[in-house]
Amino acid sequence: MKSELFYKQPKTLLNKGSGFLSGYSHSLNPYTGCAFGCSYCYVRQMPVATFRKEEWGTWVDIKQGSAELLDKELTKAKKKGKVTIFMSSSTDPYQPIEYKEKVTRSLLEVMVENIPDFLFVQTRSPLVSRDIDLLLLLKDQARVSMTIETDREDIRKHFSPDAPPITARLKALQLLAEAGVPTQATIAPVLPSTEEFPEKLVKLVNRVCVDDYFMGDGSGGKRTKNLGVLSLYKDLGLEEWYNPSAYRIVYDRLRKVFTNDQVYVSQEGFLP
Ligand code: SF4
């Protein structure tokens, strides 16, 4: 899906960490909107999306002047205490327009010069591997969390047709890990996957997080219910994967190849 692009001058960039992200001092969104437009995206139900007439996924605001603004806000925030940043909570920092605009890269350049106490990069895009040079300079004060909801490409296409292919995400994780960037694979939301999924991940990461709509959409699953996501499971005859205990199927499979301290569930997997 092609997204319409808008250029905006934000007044603020660092937002206070709250709710699911209360473990962080700040969240950081280089863009507003997200071209990946995942069907189950909980942001669809939030004011940032509902205030717009256009459908989620069809528009992206590019935040101009972000590097200068972050530089000022980061310096100020660090004077007040520990700065831990979650990037990003309501967009993907490595969505397609980032290839050209490099807003996220410019923010990393600022952070390399003025290193926050911790940076968590949440993405489903292989483009993150472009920035390995900068991520390495943040040493163990950064972690890249790659969303890989399933190992089944047919399932990925059904739920998020405009998101990057699974193989490209696995390859990016491999590049990051080989370079020495701290990583994790994030199975969120848990989608139907194969029994071999954990084997594919264990070769690449030593840390995985499992989350679902009921623990992780910020409303106990209500936002996801309102989005009508269940119908996507019904289309495939896979309704058994849409319930609060379905994550255990994947968790139990993961525990056969990962140790207890390598498998995180929901919020604990996103903490600094
Ligand atoms: S990548 Fe993330 S922010 Fe973007 S649509 Fe998908 S779930 Fe939402």
Side-chain angles (χ1 to χ4, degrees):
M1 193 194 307
K2 192 139 172 48
S3 300
E4 201 174 348
L5 303 171
F6 301 91
Y7 289 87
K8 297 279 167 79
Q9 297 279 348
K11 290 196 178 68
T12 57
L13 213 51
L14 285 177
N15 287 310
K16 195 175 174 318
S18 60
F20 197 78
L21 299 180
S22 51
Y24 285 83
S25 67
H26 298 90
S27 65
L28 174 57
N29 289 285
Y31 300 94
T32 309
C34 184
F36 290 147
C38 307
S39 59
Y40 50 71
C41 179
Y42 65 84
V43 188
R44 288 173 179 272
Q45 291 277 308
M46 296 173 78
V48 66
T50 53
F51 283 161
R52 296 282 275 246
K53 275 197 231 90
E54 303 82 10
E55 198 195 335
W56 181 251
T58 65
W59 55 273
V60 179
D61 292 347
I62 298 153
K63 298 188 181 176
Q64 288 188 303
S66 289
E68 296 76 13
L69 191 53
L70 179 65
D71 195 23
K72 280 189 207 137
E73 291 188 345
L74 191 52
T75 303
K76 208 167 147 192
K78 282 177 82 170
K79 282 185 190 145
K80 290 186 187 163
K82 214 170 166 187
V83 176
T84 50
I85 299 175
F86 188 97
M87 180 173 82
S88 296
S89 54
S90 55
T91 189
D92 193 307
Y94 288 100
Q95 61 181 295
I97 192 59
E98 171 63 16
Y99 279 94
K100 175 170 169 272
E101 294 292 338
K102 300 190 176 75
V103 178
T104 300
R105 185 166 173 88
S106 75
L107 299 178
L108 287 179
E109 283 166 348
V110 169
M111 289 190 256
V112 161
E113 293 299 321
N114 194 1
I115 299 183
D117 293 280
F118 188 71
L119 170 70
F120 191 93
V121 179
Q122 180 65 53
T123 183
R124 69 192 60 217
S125 169
L127 177 57
V128 62
S129 62
R130 177 199 65 191
D131 291 345
I132 283 176
D133 56 336
L134 298 173
L135 291 162
L136 282 174
L137 294 173
L138 295 170
K139 304 200 173 86
D140 56 0
Q141 280 163 260
R143 180 180 307 130
V144 174
S145 167
M146 178 68 77
T147 300
I148 306 179
E149 320 95 301
T150 172
D151 60 335
R152 285 181 56 180
E153 190 59 8
D154 59 328
I155 296 287
R156 195 279 300 164
K157 283 185 182 158
H158 187 67
F159 287 88
S160 54
D162 294 313
I166 300 300
T167 47
R169 303 188 212 177
L170 293 168
K171 180 70 192 167
L173 257 187
Q174 186 184 351
L175 291 174
L176 290 159
E178 282 173 2
V181 176
T183 53
Q184 81 174 21
T186 299
I187 306 168
V190 163
L191 294 181
S193 58
T194 73
E195 286 200 28
E196 293 75 44
F197 190 17
E199 294 289 349
K200 294 172 190 169
L201 297 177
V202 78
K203 293 180 215 151
L204 307 173
V205 287
N206 54 18
R207 191 184 149 111
V208 285
C209 170
V210 191
D211 200 5
D212 69 5
Y213 311 123
F214 308 96
M215 296 181 282
D217 80 349
S219 67
K222 280 200 203 88
R223 283 181 182 144
T224 310
K225 190 171 175 227
N226 293 341
L227 288 173
V229 172
L230 175 59
S231 68
L232 289 169
Y233 289 80
K234 284 186 175 162
D235 292 344
L236 302 172
L238 290 170
E239 298 96 304
E240 73 273 20
W241 282 84
Y242 185 88
N243 75 65
S245 58
Y247 85 93
R248 289 294 315 192
I249 302 171
V250 176
Y251 180 87
D252 291 344
R253 287 175 181 168
L254 287 167
R255 282 289 288 106
K256 287 184 188 153
V257 296
F258 287 94
T259 59
N260 190 33
D261 61 346
Q262 291 177 317
V263 184
Y264 294 79
V265 176
S266 194
Q267 194 176 17
E268 63 179 13
F270 297 94
L271 289 173

